[in-house]
Amino acid sequence: ENEQVVRTSGINPVLKVDAEIESVLFDELAMLINASKVKEVHFYGAGCGKWEQAERIQKLLLELFRNKKVTVKTDLEGAGRAIFDRSKGIIFISGTGSSAGFMERGDLVDQMPSKAYPEGDNGSGAHIGSLIMKDYFLGNTPQSIKSIIDGQRKLPLDDLFLQFQNPHKSKLIA
């Protein structure tokens, strides 16, 4: 049928409060689509692994897509369905965060426990970035990497170190 793909700045219920998510939905998404013509919404997103977070997203989507079927699942399940459809296999995501799971018959049947930066997320961009930054702060990075960081950093070293320790800065570190 008629499918439409659109791009917004993104919504992650772990990183954004409801007002920020509403802004993305109503100031960005609603301008790109005709919500009244949408029959169903299937949202697959980072940060939707816990029911409370998925429920927040579903509630906010229902404000825009009134009286429509709205399902909210994890980004891992969305990637698994896209790759494996109804067959089975192991799926990995490594972006700002990381996750892995097992897909069977179109469902995510097992998922690796995921801890956010800085406690976990091994293999993620945040984890790899934190290893690079640790070496940078200790003076152990190769000159080529040090030059890149020095050329892009906008903060004094002490302020950068404080930013590096903030668990909400995983995207910056990645």
Side-chain angles (χ1 to χ4, degrees):
E1 295 193 30
N2 274 345
E3 288 185 14
Q4 183 180 359
V5 177
V6 296
R7 182 176 287 249
T8 68
S9 60
I11 54 179
N12 181 327
V14 174
L15 302 177
K16 294 190 177 197
V17 297
D18 287 2
E20 293 172 302
I21 295 169
E22 286 173 342
S23 176
V24 172
L25 293 177
F26 289 95
D27 299 338
E28 295 178 43
L29 183 61
M31 300 299 130
L32 300 170
I33 62 165
N34 183 344
S36 66
K37 291 188 175 186
V38 172
K39 293 181 177 131
E40 294 181 2
V41 176
H42 300 273
F43 180 87
Y44 298 94
C48 294
K50 293 192 171 138
W51 172 244
E52 312 85 61
Q53 305 297 17
E55 188 177 43
R56 278 180 55 217
I57 296 295
Q58 185 177 40
K59 180 182 127 268
L60 294 167
L61 284 167
L62 283 167
E63 288 179 20
L64 178 59
F65 300 102
R66 297 187 184 282
N67 304 315
K68 308 292 182 184
K69 178 184 176 190
V70 174
T71 58
V72 177
K73 303 280 185 171
T74 68
D75 55 345
L76 187 64
E77 188 161 348
R81 285 185 175 183
I83 292 169
F84 296 111
D85 190 29
R86 307 283 307 154
S87 62
K88 61 181 166 178
I90 297 172
I91 186 75
F92 299 94
I93 291 180
S94 181
T96 304
S98 67
S99 192
F102 185 74
M103 296 294 296
E104 193 170 335
R105 293 182 300 280
D107 293 318
L108 183 64
V109 295
D110 197 13
Q111 184 174 352
M112 170 186 87
S114 182
K115 291 187 177 180
Y117 173 84
E119 296 89 24
D121 250 353
N122 293 335
S124 69
H127 175 244
I128 294 166
S130 71
L131 295 173
I132 293 168
M133 291 306 293
K134 180 180 176 186
D135 280 352
Y136 175 81
F137 290 126
L138 293 172
N140 295 332
T141 52
Q143 184 58 43
S144 59
I145 293 174
K146 182 182 181 319
S147 296
I148 292 169
I149 295 170
D150 287 341
Q152 292 187 2
R153 78 175 161 94
K154 296 173 177 58
L155 298 171
L157 203 53
D158 289 345
D159 292 340
L160 181 63
F161 184 74
L162 289 174
Q163 290 288 321
F164 170 72
Q165 295 183 43
N166 183 338
H168 297 289
K169 296 295 180 175
S170 60
K171 188 173 182 180
L172 171 72
I173 293 166

mmCIF file of all heavy atoms in Angstrom, residues 118-160:
data_model
loop_
_atom_site.group_PDB
_atom_site.id
_atom_site.type_symbol
_atom_site.label_atom_id
_atom_site.label_comp_id
_atom_site.label_asym_id
_atom_site.label_seq_id
_atom_site.Cartn_x
_atom_site.Cartn_y
_atom_site.Cartn_z
ATOM 1 N N PRO A 118 27.781 5.361 31.446
ATOM 2 C CA PRO A 118 29.100 4.766 31.316
ATOM 3 C C PRO A 118 29.218 3.365 31.906
ATOM 4 O O PRO A 118 30.288 2.775 31.884
ATOM 5 C CB PRO A 118 29.996 5.734 32.088
ATOM 6 C CG PRO A 118 29.123 6.237 33.185
ATOM 7 C CD PRO A 118 27.710 6.263 32.597
ATOM 8 N N GLU A 119 28.125 2.800 32.440
ATOM 9 C CA GLU A 119 28.214 1.486 33.095
ATOM 10 C C GLU A 119 28.356 0.334 32.120
ATOM 11 O O GLU A 119 28.861 -0.713 32.462
ATOM 12 C CB GLU A 119 26.971 1.216 33.969
ATOM 13 C CG GLU A 119 26.799 2.160 35.130
ATOM 14 C CD GLU A 119 26.004 3.388 34.758
ATOM 15 O OE1 GLU A 119 25.224 3.321 33.788
ATOM 16 O OE2 GLU A 119 26.167 4.417 35.410
ATOM 17 N N GLY A 120 27.854 0.477 30.914
ATOM 18 C CA GLY A 120 27.836 -0.648 29.994
ATOM 19 C C GLY A 120 27.920 -0.193 28.560
ATOM 20 O O GLY A 120 28.628 0.732 28.242
ATOM 21 N N ASP A 121 27.158 -0.852 27.693
ATOM 22 C CA ASP A 121 27.121 -0.529 26.272
ATOM 23 C C ASP A 121 28.443 -0.803 25.568
ATOM 24 O O ASP A 121 28.861 -0.058 24.699
ATOM 25 C CB ASP A 121 26.712 0.934 26.063
ATOM 26 C CG ASP A 121 25.335 1.047 25.457
ATOM 27 O OD1 ASP A 121 24.770 0.002 25.094
ATOM 28 O OD2 ASP A 121 24.824 2.163 25.331
ATOM 29 N N ASN A 122 29.110 -1.886 25.971
ATOM 30 C CA ASN A 122 30.374 -2.235 25.324
ATOM 31 C C ASN A 122 30.172 -2.427 23.835
ATOM 32 O O ASN A 122 29.212 -3.036 23.396
ATOM 33 C CB ASN A 122 30.956 -3.508 25.945
ATOM 34 C CG ASN A 122 31.380 -3.289 27.377
ATOM 35 O OD1 ASN A 122 31.672 -2.168 27.768
ATOM 36 N ND2 ASN A 122 31.412 -4.344 28.152
ATOM 37 N N GLY A 123 31.080 -1.884 23.057
ATOM 38 C CA GLY A 123 31.001 -1.970 21.607
ATOM 39 C C GLY A 123 30.256 -0.814 20.968
ATOM 40 O O GLY A 123 30.243 -0.673 19.752
ATOM 41 N N SER A 124 29.638 0.028 21.781
ATOM 42 C CA SER A 124 28.902 1.165 21.239
ATOM 43 C C SER A 124 29.857 2.311 20.892
ATOM 44 O O SER A 124 31.022 2.325 21.303
ATOM 45 C CB SER A 124 27.889 1.675 22.271
ATOM 46 O OG SER A 124 28.570 2.270 23.370
ATOM 47 N N GLY A 125 29.338 3.265 20.166
ATOM 48 C CA GLY A 125 30.118 4.455 19.857
ATOM 49 C C GLY A 125 30.543 5.186 21.120
ATOM 50 O O GLY A 125 31.657 5.714 21.212
ATOM 51 N N ALA A 126 29.654 5.217 22.128
ATOM 52 C CA ALA A 126 29.984 5.874 23.394
ATOM 53 C C ALA A 126 31.125 5.139 24.098
ATOM 54 O O ALA A 126 32.031 5.757 24.653
ATOM 55 C CB ALA A 126 28.758 5.943 24.291
ATOM 56 N N HIS A 127 31.095 3.806 24.069
ATOM 57 C CA HIS A 127 32.148 3.015 24.706
ATOM 58 C C HIS A 127 33.484 3.237 24.002
ATOM 59 O O HIS A 127 34.508 3.503 24.640
ATOM 60 C CB HIS A 127 31.771 1.524 24.686
ATOM 61 C CG HIS A 127 32.833 0.630 25.213
ATOM 62 N ND1 HIS A 127 33.467 -0.310 24.435
ATOM 63 C CD2 HIS A 127 33.392 0.525 26.447
ATOM 64 C CE1 HIS A 127 34.359 -0.938 25.155
ATOM 65 N NE2 HIS A 127 34.343 -0.463 26.379
ATOM 66 N N ILE A 128 33.477 3.155 22.676
ATOM 67 C CA ILE A 128 34.705 3.352 21.912
ATOM 68 C C ILE A 128 35.215 4.779 22.093
ATOM 69 O O ILE A 128 36.411 5.002 22.321
ATOM 70 C CB ILE A 128 34.479 3.008 20.424
ATOM 71 C CG1 ILE A 128 34.181 1.509 20.293
ATOM 72 C CG2 ILE A 128 35.683 3.410 19.573
ATOM 73 C CD1 ILE A 128 33.605 1.100 18.946
ATOM 74 N N GLY A 129 34.297 5.741 22.044
ATOM 75 C CA GLY A 129 34.679 7.134 22.267
ATOM 76 C C GLY A 129 35.261 7.363 23.648
ATOM 77 O O GLY A 129 36.217 8.126 23.819
ATOM 78 N N SER A 130 34.692 6.689 24.666
ATOM 79 C CA SER A 130 35.207 6.861 26.027
ATOM 80 C C SER A 130 36.625 6.298 26.150
ATOM 81 O O SER A 130 37.455 6.859 26.875
ATOM 82 C CB SER A 130 34.273 6.214 27.047
ATOM 83 O OG SER A 130 34.331 4.808 26.978
ATOM 84 N N LEU A 131 36.921 5.209 25.439
ATOM 85 C CA LEU A 131 38.275 4.663 25.465
ATOM 86 C C LEU A 131 39.271 5.644 24.826
ATOM 87 O O LEU A 131 40.375 5.848 25.349
ATOM 88 C CB LEU A 131 38.321 3.312 24.740
ATOM 89 C CG LEU A 131 37.524 2.173 25.383
ATOM 90 C CD1 LEU A 131 37.529 0.939 24.470
ATOM 91 C CD2 LEU A 131 38.052 1.835 26.764
ATOM 92 N N ILE A 132 38.853 6.242 23.721
ATOM 93 C CA ILE A 132 39.710 7.228 23.054
ATOM 94 C C ILE A 132 39.928 8.440 23.961
ATOM 95 O O ILE A 132 41.052 8.923 24.126
ATOM 96 C CB ILE A 132 39.107 7.649 21.697
ATOM 97 C CG1 ILE A 132 39.141 6.465 20.723
ATOM 98 C CG2 ILE A 132 39.835 8.870 21.117
ATOM 99 C CD1 ILE A 132 38.331 6.671 19.455
ATOM 100 N N MET A 133 38.820 8.918 24.573
ATOM 101 C CA MET A 133 38.932 10.102 25.427
ATOM 102 C C MET A 133 39.755 9.813 26.687
ATOM 103 O O MET A 133 40.498 10.684 27.157
ATOM 104 C CB MET A 133 37.548 10.632 25.790
ATOM 105 C CG MET A 133 36.799 11.226 24.612
ATOM 106 S SD MET A 133 37.716 12.514 23.717
ATOM 107 C CE MET A 133 37.784 13.794 24.966
ATOM 108 N N LYS A 134 39.648 8.618 27.218
ATOM 109 C CA LYS A 134 40.461 8.252 28.389
ATOM 110 C C LYS A 134 41.940 8.361 28.033
ATOM 111 O O LYS A 134 42.733 8.959 28.777
ATOM 112 C CB LYS A 134 40.114 6.835 28.842
ATOM 113 C CG LYS A 134 40.912 6.380 30.044
ATOM 114 C CD LYS A 134 40.525 4.971 30.456
ATOM 115 C CE LYS A 134 41.388 4.482 31.606
ATOM 116 N NZ LYS A 134 41.122 3.093 31.930
ATOM 117 N N ASP A 135 42.315 7.792 26.882
ATOM 118 C CA ASP A 135 43.704 7.898 26.432
ATOM 119 C C ASP A 135 44.092 9.360 26.190
ATOM 120 O O ASP A 135 45.207 9.772 26.494
ATOM 121 C CB ASP A 135 43.930 7.078 25.157
ATOM 122 C CG ASP A 135 44.121 5.596 25.445
ATOM 123 O OD1 ASP A 135 44.229 5.226 26.629
ATOM 124 O OD2 ASP A 135 44.143 4.811 24.477
ATOM 125 N N TYR A 136 43.161 10.139 25.659
ATOM 126 C CA TYR A 136 43.426 11.562 25.400
ATOM 127 C C TYR A 136 43.739 12.283 26.707
ATOM 128 O O TYR A 136 44.735 13.014 26.800
ATOM 129 C CB TYR A 136 42.213 12.191 24.704
ATOM 130 C CG TYR A 136 42.334 13.681 24.491
ATOM 131 C CD1 TYR A 136 43.065 14.189 23.418
ATOM 132 C CD2 TYR A 136 41.717 14.577 25.346
ATOM 133 C CE1 TYR A 136 43.173 15.558 23.216
ATOM 134 C CE2 TYR A 136 41.818 15.941 25.158
ATOM 135 C CZ TYR A 136 42.545 16.429 24.099
ATOM 136 O OH TYR A 136 42.659 17.791 23.905
ATOM 137 N N PHE A 137 42.911 12.072 27.732
ATOM 138 C CA PHE A 137 43.128 12.737 29.019
ATOM 139 C C PHE A 137 44.427 12.288 29.686
ATOM 140 O O PHE A 137 45.053 13.042 30.414
ATOM 141 C CB PHE A 137 41.949 12.513 29.960
ATOM 142 C CG PHE A 137 40.698 13.229 29.538
ATOM 143 C CD1 PHE A 137 39.513 12.532 29.376
ATOM 144 C CD2 PHE A 137 40.695 14.592 29.291
ATOM 145 C CE1 PHE A 137 38.360 13.181 28.977
ATOM 146 C CE2 PHE A 137 39.546 15.253 28.890
ATOM 147 C CZ PHE A 137 38.372 14.548 28.728
ATOM 148 N N LEU A 138 44.828 11.032 29.430
ATOM 149 C CA LEU A 138 46.068 10.506 30.008
ATOM 150 C C LEU A 138 47.292 10.842 29.147
ATOM 151 O O LEU A 138 48.418 10.519 29.520
ATOM 152 C CB LEU A 138 45.965 8.985 30.175
ATOM 153 C CG LEU A 138 44.941 8.506 31.203
ATOM 154 C CD1 LEU A 138 44.794 6.979 31.149
ATOM 155 C CD2 LEU A 138 45.326 8.955 32.603
ATOM 156 N N GLY A 139 47.048 11.472 27.984
ATOM 157 C CA GLY A 139 48.154 11.826 27.098
ATOM 158 C C GLY A 139 48.694 10.644 26.307
ATOM 159 O O GLY A 139 49.843 10.674 25.862
ATOM 160 N N ASN A 140 47.863 9.626 26.107
ATOM 161 C CA ASN A 140 48.317 8.405 25.437
ATOM 162 C C ASN A 140 47.783 8.244 24.008
ATOM 163 O O ASN A 140 47.956 7.179 23.431
ATOM 164 C CB ASN A 140 47.912 7.170 26.250
ATOM 165 C CG ASN A 140 48.603 7.125 27.601
ATOM 166 O OD1 ASN A 140 49.692 7.645 27.754
ATOM 167 N ND2 ASN A 140 47.950 6.527 28.576
ATOM 168 N N THR A 141 47.114 9.240 23.445
ATOM 169 C CA THR A 141 46.585 9.077 22.089
ATOM 170 C C THR A 141 47.674 9.389 21.061
ATOM 171 O O THR A 141 48.550 10.219 21.301
ATOM 172 C CB THR A 141 45.389 10.019 21.816
ATOM 173 O OG1 THR A 141 45.772 11.354 22.154
ATOM 174 C CG2 THR A 141 44.169 9.624 22.591
ATOM 175 N N PRO A 142 47.619 8.729 19.922
ATOM 176 C CA PRO A 142 48.536 9.089 18.842
ATOM 177 C C PRO A 142 48.336 10.556 18.449
ATOM 178 O O PRO A 142 47.240 11.107 18.597
ATOM 179 C CB PRO A 142 48.120 8.160 17.690
ATOM 180 C CG PRO A 142 47.376 7.040 18.339
ATOM 181 C CD PRO A 142 46.734 7.626 19.562
ATOM 182 N N GLN A 143 49.372 11.181 17.958
ATOM 183 C CA GLN A 143 49.317 12.604 17.610
ATOM 184 C C GLN A 143 48.196 12.904 16.613
ATOM 185 O O GLN A 143 47.542 13.937 16.712
ATOM 186 C CB GLN A 143 50.674 13.073 17.050
ATOM 187 C CG GLN A 143 50.726 14.566 16.766
ATOM 188 C CD GLN A 143 50.429 15.430 17.983
ATOM 189 O OE1 GLN A 143 50.902 15.156 19.074
ATOM 190 N NE2 GLN A 143 49.622 16.469 17.812
ATOM 191 N N SER A 144 47.948 11.995 15.667
ATOM 192 C CA SER A 144 46.902 12.247 14.662
ATOM 193 C C SER A 144 45.521 12.357 15.317
ATOM 194 O O SER A 144 44.716 13.214 14.943
ATOM 195 C CB SER A 144 46.905 11.136 13.609
ATOM 196 O OG SER A 144 46.683 9.875 14.219
ATOM 197 N N ILE A 145 45.235 11.507 16.306
ATOM 198 C CA ILE A 145 43.941 11.564 17.001
ATOM 199 C C ILE A 145 43.893 12.780 17.915
ATOM 200 O O ILE A 145 42.887 13.481 17.992
ATOM 201 C CB ILE A 145 43.681 10.253 17.780
ATOM 202 C CG1 ILE A 145 43.499 9.104 16.780
ATOM 203 C CG2 ILE A 145 42.470 10.391 18.697
ATOM 204 C CD1 ILE A 145 43.368 7.743 17.408
ATOM 205 N N LYS A 146 44.996 13.052 18.610
ATOM 206 C CA LYS A 146 45.061 14.230 19.488
ATOM 207 C C LYS A 146 44.792 15.504 18.686
ATOM 208 O O LYS A 146 44.042 16.383 19.124
ATOM 209 C CB LYS A 146 46.423 14.309 20.176
ATOM 210 C CG LYS A 146 46.534 15.487 21.144
ATOM 211 C CD LYS A 146 47.916 15.559 21.753
ATOM 212 C CE LYS A 146 48.082 16.680 22.724
ATOM 213 N NZ LYS A 146 47.506 17.954 22.420
ATOM 214 N N SER A 147 45.356 15.591 17.492
ATOM 215 C CA SER A 147 45.157 16.774 16.643
ATOM 216 C C SER A 147 43.687 16.936 16.249
ATOM 217 O O SER A 147 43.168 18.049 16.223
ATOM 218 C CB SER A 147 46.014 16.683 15.379
ATOM 219 O OG SER A 147 47.370 16.691 15.721
ATOM 220 N N ILE A 148 43.019 15.834 15.950
ATOM 221 C CA ILE A 148 41.596 15.889 15.593
ATOM 222 C C ILE A 148 40.771 16.383 16.776
ATOM 223 O O ILE A 148 39.931 17.282 16.639
ATOM 224 C CB ILE A 148 41.094 14.506 15.110
ATOM 225 C CG1 ILE A 148 41.734 14.149 13.769
ATOM 226 C CG2 ILE A 148 39.571 14.501 15.002
ATOM 227 C CD1 ILE A 148 41.510 12.701 13.352
ATOM 228 N N ILE A 149 41.012 15.809 17.951
ATOM 229 C CA ILE A 149 40.251 16.219 19.145
ATOM 230 C C ILE A 149 40.542 17.679 19.476
ATOM 231 O O ILE A 149 39.617 18.462 19.716
ATOM 232 C CB ILE A 149 40.574 15.299 20.347
ATOM 233 C CG1 ILE A 149 40.085 13.878 20.051
ATOM 234 C CG2 ILE A 149 39.939 15.848 21.627
ATOM 235 C CD1 ILE A 149 40.548 12.833 21.049
ATOM 236 N N ASP A 150 41.819 18.073 19.482
ATOM 237 C CA ASP A 150 42.175 19.457 19.791
ATOM 238 C C ASP A 150 41.553 20.432 18.791
ATOM 239 O O ASP A 150 41.110 21.517 19.162
ATOM 240 C CB ASP A 150 43.702 19.628 19.794
ATOM 241 C CG ASP A 150 44.360 19.002 21.010
ATOM 242 O OD1 ASP A 150 43.659 18.751 22.020
ATOM 243 O OD2 ASP A 150 45.590 18.753 20.952
ATOM 244 N N GLY A 151 41.492 20.020 17.522
ATOM 245 C CA GLY A 151 40.924 20.892 16.490
ATOM 246 C C GLY A 151 39.415 21.034 16.579
ATOM 247 O O GLY A 151 38.845 22.017 16.104
ATOM 248 N N GLN A 152 38.736 20.061 17.206
ATOM 249 C CA GLN A 152 37.272 20.102 17.277
ATOM 250 C C GLN A 152 36.729 20.496 18.632
ATOM 251 O O GLN A 152 35.573 20.885 18.738
ATOM 252 C CB GLN A 152 36.694 18.744 16.872
ATOM 253 C CG GLN A 152 36.914 18.438 15.426
ATOM 254 C CD GLN A 152 36.189 17.184 14.977
ATOM 255 O OE1 GLN A 152 35.483 16.543 15.736
ATOM 256 N NE2 GLN A 152 36.360 16.838 13.722
ATOM 257 N N ARG A 153 37.535 20.418 19.673
ATOM 258 C CA ARG A 153 36.980 20.717 20.999
ATOM 259 C C ARG A 153 36.815 22.209 21.178
ATOM 260 O O ARG A 153 37.629 23.010 20.746
ATOM 261 C CB ARG A 153 37.807 20.069 22.102
ATOM 262 C CG ARG A 153 39.083 20.725 22.476
ATOM 263 C CD ARG A 153 39.682 19.974 23.671
ATOM 264 N NE ARG A 153 41.079 20.259 23.820
ATOM 265 C CZ ARG A 153 41.550 21.203 24.620
ATOM 266 N NH1 ARG A 153 40.732 21.932 25.332
ATOM 267 N NH2 ARG A 153 42.844 21.410 24.687
ATOM 268 N N LYS A 154 35.713 22.561 21.808
ATOM 269 C CA LYS A 154 35.369 23.961 21.997
ATOM 270 C C LYS A 154 35.463 24.366 23.471
ATOM 271 O O LYS A 154 35.198 25.494 23.816
ATOM 272 C CB LYS A 154 33.960 24.217 21.478
ATOM 273 C CG LYS A 154 33.825 23.985 19.976
ATOM 274 C CD LYS A 154 32.387 24.072 19.523
ATOM 275 C CE LYS A 154 32.208 23.928 18.051
ATOM 276 N NZ LYS A 154 32.692 22.725 17.454
ATOM 277 N N LEU A 155 35.794 23.398 24.324
ATOM 278 C CA LEU A 155 35.843 23.640 25.765
ATOM 279 C C LEU A 155 37.272 23.524 26.279
ATOM 280 O O LEU A 155 38.064 22.753 25.741
ATOM 281 C CB LEU A 155 34.986 22.595 26.507
ATOM 282 C CG LEU A 155 33.494 22.560 26.215
ATOM 283 C CD1 LEU A 155 32.862 21.336 26.871
ATOM 284 C CD2 LEU A 155 32.831 23.824 26.726
ATOM 285 N N PRO A 156 37.571 24.261 27.360
ATOM 286 C CA PRO A 156 38.863 24.028 28.022
ATOM 287 C C PRO A 156 38.929 22.578 28.512
ATOM 288 O O PRO A 156 37.892 21.952 28.757
ATOM 289 C CB PRO A 156 38.850 25.008 29.200
ATOM 290 C CG PRO A 156 37.786 26.008 28.884
ATOM 291 C CD PRO A 156 36.809 25.318 27.988
ATOM 292 N N LEU A 157 40.118 22.058 28.675
ATOM 293 C CA LEU A 157 40.317 20.662 29.037
ATOM 294 C C LEU A 157 39.554 20.268 30.309
ATOM 295 O O LEU A 157 38.937 19.204 30.355
ATOM 296 C CB LEU A 157 41.807 20.376 29.199
ATOM 297 C CG LEU A 157 42.258 18.936 29.049
ATOM 298 C CD1 LEU A 157 41.766 18.334 27.748
ATOM 299 C CD2 LEU A 157 43.763 18.839 29.148
ATOM 300 N N ASP A 158 39.551 21.125 31.342
ATOM 301 C CA ASP A 158 38.836 20.804 32.589
ATOM 302 C C ASP A 158 37.334 20.669 32.349
ATOM 303 O O ASP A 158 36.692 19.769 32.880
ATOM 304 C CB ASP A 158 39.091 21.870 33.661
ATOM 305 C CG ASP A 158 40.515 21.827 34.198
ATOM 306 O OD1 ASP A 158 41.208 20.815 33.962
ATOM 307 O OD2 ASP A 158 40.926 22.807 34.859
ATOM 308 N N ASP A 159 36.761 21.562 31.560
ATOM 309 C CA ASP A 159 35.327 21.498 31.256
ATOM 310 C C ASP A 159 35.005 20.269 30.398
ATOM 311 O O ASP A 159 33.976 19.625 30.579
ATOM 312 C CB ASP A 159 34.862 22.768 30.543
ATOM 313 C CG ASP A 159 34.897 23.988 31.445
ATOM 314 O OD1 ASP A 159 34.904 23.808 32.685
ATOM 315 O OD2 ASP A 159 34.917 25.107 30.915
ATOM 316 N N LEU A 160 35.887 19.965 29.461
ATOM 317 C CA LEU A 160 35.699 18.777 28.625
ATOM 318 C C LEU A 160 35.704 17.518 29.487
ATOM 319 O O LEU A 160 34.877 16.630 29.301
ATOM 320 C CB LEU A 160 36.790 18.702 27.557
ATOM 321 C CG LEU A 160 36.703 17.527 26.593
ATOM 322 C CD1 LEU A 160 35.412 17.598 25.774
ATOM 323 C CD2 LEU A 160 37.915 17.503 25.674
#
